[in-house]
Amino acid sequence: MSQPIAHKLILILLCLLLAACSGTRHLPKGEKLYTGAEVKVKSRDKVDKGSIKSAAQEAIRPLPNKSFLGMRPKLWKYNMAGENPHTKLKKWFKKRGEPPVLLSDVKPGVTSQVIDAKLFNMGIFKSITQSKTEETKRTAKLIYTCYVHKPFRIKELSYDISDDSISNLILAEKKKSLI
């Protein structure tokens, strides 16, 4: 076999081996690996879906295991170490690894409430967030769908302060205020 073909064959085998190391082999029976969540925004009104989606993304917990090119190297290190590592190498793997985030660790109802609270802070007072689980053989992801309306905005703010010294202080800081 010529050398370039051998190198290509080794590279292909190495890629297949790495792709097979998804970290799901060592999961407890009946558990699924949580691979993350997706946020969808639905509205009858014209809204800024990007800002709503990013606010909802901030509320999603727990975060899934980090992945790189579809693989989870930190999860792989953690699994390589085993339950009770005895050698220095296995202890190093355990320390540098990341325990699996299981679907049973995720509380979609609580997360939906936190997303609604974030949207409330944006002026979307009557949002409804629903969750749906999409499962495969060993993994699962959540899809949060936010039903929103156009955010309420304050059009005008007037100050009625009788004390001039306090009025001057408040009006001097008016431009720095978020309201």
Side-chain angles (χ1 to χ4, degrees), residues 19-27 33 71-72 75-76 79 100 138:
C21 299
S22 66
T24 59
R25 188 173 64 188
H26 299 286
L27 291 176
L33 185 68
M71 300 172 289
R72 297 173 188 88
L75 179 59
W76 177 80
N79 288 335
R138 294 185 172 224

Side-chain angles (χ1 to χ4, degrees), residues 3-105:
Q3 200 169 20
I5 294 174
H7 287 294
K8 288 179 184 177
L9 184 62
I10 290 172
L11 183 63
I12 290 171
L13 288 173
L14 184 62
C15 288
L16 287 173
L17 177 68
L18 289 175
C21 299
S22 66
T24 59
R25 188 173 64 188
H26 299 286
L27 291 176
K29 189 174 183 174
E31 287 286 356
K32 295 188 184 287
L33 185 68
Y34 173 65
T35 58
E38 180 183 334
V39 175
K40 295 181 180 180
V41 177
K42 299 205 176 188
S43 177
R44 293 183 196 162
D45 304 323
K46 186 174 182 179
V47 294
D48 182 9
K49 290 185 178 183
S51 65
I52 293 171
K53 201 179 249 193
S54 65
Q57 290 279 3
E58 290 174 9
I60 295 175
R61 295 287 182 268
L63 297 175
N65 293 102
K66 293 182 179 104
S67 66
F68 176 75
L69 298 175
M71 300 172 289
R72 297 173 188 88
K74 288 190 171 195
L75 179 59
W76 177 80
K77 287 178 196 174
Y78 185 86
N79 288 335
M80 283 296 295
E83 286 296 316
N84 298 315
H86 296 293
T87 65
K88 285 185 179 181
L89 179 64
K90 286 190 175 188
K91 287 179 183 177
W92 184 83
F93 272 152
K94 188 84 161 188
K95 186 176 179 182
R96 299 286 188 270
E98 189 175 81
V101 179
L102 304 174
L103 182 61
S104 61
D105 297 335

Side-chain angles (χ1 to χ4, degrees), residues 105-118:
D105 297 335
V106 181
K107 310 270 187 282
V110 173
T111 303
S112 294
Q113 290 175 346
V114 174
I115 290 172
D116 287 339
K118 287 252 186 201

